[in-house]
Each structure stands twice: as structure tokens, then as C-alpha cells.
Amino acid sequence: MSEFVRLEVEDGIGTIRLDRPPMNALNAAVQEGLAAAATEATMREDVFAVIVYGGEKVFAAGADIKEMEAMSYAQMARHSAMLQDFTRALARIPKPTLAAITGYALGGGCEVALSCDFRIAGANAKLGQPEISLGIIPGAGGTQRLARLVGPARAKDLVFSGRFIDADEALAIGLIDAVVPDDEVYAAARKRLARYVGGPALAIKAAKEAIDKGLEVDLETGLEIERMAFASLFATEDKAIGMGAFVAKQKPSFVGR
Ligand code: CAA
């Protein structure tokens, strides 16, 4: 496990914990750690859902500017693929994922949050894509995922201006799903994901893939993705368990197979 990122598993929920004080700046080691934690969370059968959490004070203030300052075009041309790879690894976890945001979620930090299915933030959280102030643009998926989530005009406002927005504005534009008191962020995240523990893992995986892959393609192709995924679930034990329980008027006990 990485020095700065660890996967903690409790009661079926995996928490990918960023731990690089003071700001959880995402240097190359953190980026590698996030990708590794995403792979571990993907593989572990005892993990039904995943929280990404930076602790009580800060989510992440972005890629490590001090590390990037020294980088040339040639170096970043090589490294930029990895910047997208770690957020892609998070986005591809085939389980419900949620960013539990305290304090700042800026730049690469906001992009980590955008790679999750859901976002809950503390009342004093600040989000934004301030890269423009550094003379660059978001490079860990921000221009793409932000625009897909909140629409192009709002994404352009945030990316062109680099301004920070508070939790209420983030909620109003759909960048986050809920605002809670700062000290309740992690508990609220666990409560929100607890419903998936012991659920039909293959059906949830299929639902996530169909929605995410379908958004990248035209409607007919998306419908075909859905059709194949839907039919494939009829090969699972969980389908037999779920429908059998309904007919017998019982609660299903899914097995994830
Ligand atoms: N990279 C490296 N170090 C950072 C950092 C970052 N992204 N953000 C903060 N730090 C460091 C500061 O340099 C400072 O270090 P020192 O104590 O050694 O001086 C320490 O963390 C505390 O920060 P501040 O003193 O600045 O704390 P503050 O409370 O006054 O301000 C802040 C907090 C508003 C988050 C401010 O630090 C800030 O604006 N940070 C940069 C945010 C940013 O621009 N993020 C985008 C990065 S680029 C990117 O992410 C590219 C991409 O798309 C992948």
C-alpha cells in the first residue's frame, strides 16, 4: 500500500483515504497510490462500495504544483497519460463510489471527486478548477467530466475563471449531491453507501457500466449496451435469488455471483 493512500475496509465499505498533509497535494506517488487503491477496491469481494476521503480538514488542493513547476513539456507529455489514468481507474471501479469532501477540492482534487458516482460536501467546502490561474488547464479529466456533469456553460465558467465555489453553489449546479455539516461528511457518506452492502454486485456493476458507457455513445449503441448487460444478468445466481425471493414473498440474500 502507498505511503500516502490506503484502502481501509469496514462493514463492506472501502475507504480510499488520501493522507498527505497539509493539503493532500496529488504528487506522482499519490496518483500511483490512488490507481493502486482503485484496483484493490475493484478486486476485493468484501468491498461493495467505495468512499474517497481526504480526512476532516481537506479533500485535496490539486496536483502538486511544486512537483509540476520543474516539469518540461517533454516530461509532461509522458506524465499526462498517468494523470488521466488514475482518475480513469477511480471512475472504472465497478461499484458505487462517493467523494466525501471536506475543505478544498480543487484542480486534481475536484477531478478525483468528478471520477466518483456521487459527491457529498461539508458546508464549508470549496470546489473549483483553478488551473487557469497557473497558466494551464485541468489535466486529470476535468474539462470532460465537469462538462458532462454540470453542462458546458457552467464548466466553462469554472474552468475559464478558475474561481472557487462554495458548497451551496456546487449543490445548485449539480456538482455535488448533498451538503452536510462539516463534521458529518464521512458519516453521511457511509450512511449513503450502506444500502449497497450485500446487494446484487453484478447487477450494480452492469448498471454502472451501462450508464457510463452509454453516455459516451449514441442512443442506439447505448440501448444495445443495456440490452446485452440486461440479458447477461439472467445468467447470475443473484437473478434467481432476487426473483425467487419476490415470488416467495421473502427478502433476497444476494451472493454476488
Ligand atoms: N501543490 C503543492 N503544494 C500545495 C498545493 C498544491 N496544489 N496546495 C497547497 N499547497 C501547499 C502550499 O504551498 C503550502 O505549503 P508551504 O506551507 O510549504 O508554503 C501549504 O500547502 C498550505 O497552503 P497555503 O499556505 O496556500 O494555505 P491557504 O489556506 O492559504 O490556501 C489553498 C489554501 C486555497 C488551497 C491554496 O493553497 C491554493 O490555492 N492551492 C493551489 C490550488 C490549485 O491551484 N490547485 C490546482 C493544481 S493544478 C492541477 O490540479 C492540475 C490538474 O488538473 C491535474
Side-chain angles (χ1 to χ4, degrees):
M1 194 52 36
S2 144
E3 181 187 355
F4 304 121
V5 185
R6 52 185 186 272
L7 177 72
E8 300 165 342
V9 182
E10 193 187 338
D11 297 334
I13 296 175
T15 299
I16 295 179
R17 176 70 158 87
L18 284 165
D19 189 10
R20 188 172 180 243
M23 289 287 165
N24 288 335
L26 308 165
N27 66 1
V30 176
Q31 295 165 26
E32 276 169 31
L34 278 168
T39 302
E40 189 183 345
T42 296
M43 297 308 292
R44 279 182 63 160
E45 288 185 11
D46 59 338
V47 173
F48 289 88
V50 177
I51 298 170
V52 183
Y53 183 52
E56 289 171 6
K57 294 201 179 94
V58 67
F59 187 71
D64 190 327
I65 301 167
K66 291 165 188 166
E67 186 179 73
M68 286 188 299
E69 190 199 2
M71 289 174 81
S72 65
Y73 164 73
Q75 286 170 312
M76 188 47 90
R78 281 191 296 273
H79 182 70
S80 52
M82 186 180 144
L83 268 177
Q84 294 192 339
D85 282 347
F86 83 91
T87 43
R88 188 183 287 113
L90 289 167
R92 286 196 179 159
I93 296 173
K95 307 173 184 188
T97 57
L98 187 153
I101 301 168
T102 54
Y104 294 108
L106 302 172
C110 191
E111 290 166 302
V112 166
L114 286 166
S115 305
C116 295
D117 298 317
F118 311 111
R119 285 149 291 278
I120 291 178
N124 289 303
K126 295 267 185 294
L127 296 92
Q129 297 289 163
E131 289 88 346
I132 211 84
S133 320
L134 302 166
I136 59 169
I137 64 169
T143 62
Q144 303 307 302
R145 293 197 179 94
L146 183 62
R148 281 166 171 76
L149 187 65
V150 304
R154 285 167 173 156
K156 286 172 183 167
D157 166 38
L158 292 181
V159 173
F160 292 179
S161 71
R163 70 189 181 90
F164 299 174
I165 61 172
D166 63 20
D168 287 337
E169 185 175 355
L171 182 67
I173 67 169
L175 176 51
I176 60 173
D177 308 294
V179 182
V180 299
D182 291 315
D183 58 358
E184 292 174 20
V185 168
Y186 184 68
R190 290 196 70 88
K191 192 170 171 209
R192 171 81 187 254
L193 292 188
R195 68 187 66 160
Y196 304 115
V197 176
L202 291 174
I204 289 175
K205 174 177 185 284
K208 179 164 175 170
E209 284 174 1
I211 291 170
D212 286 346
K213 291 206 174 111
L215 284 171
E216 307 304 319
V217 297
D218 63 276
L219 179 62
E220 275 310 310
T221 310
L223 287 169
E224 186 59 11
I225 290 169
E226 177 188 90
R227 190 185 69 75
M228 289 190 291
F230 177 77
S232 74
L233 292 168
F234 280 67
T236 65
E237 285 180 47
D238 281 348
K239 175 262 176 190
I241 290 167
M243 294 198 182
F246 177 83
V247 172
K249 299 191 187 302
Q250 291 168 351
K251 278 199 119 192
S253 295
F254 293 112
V255 294
R257 292 190 297 271

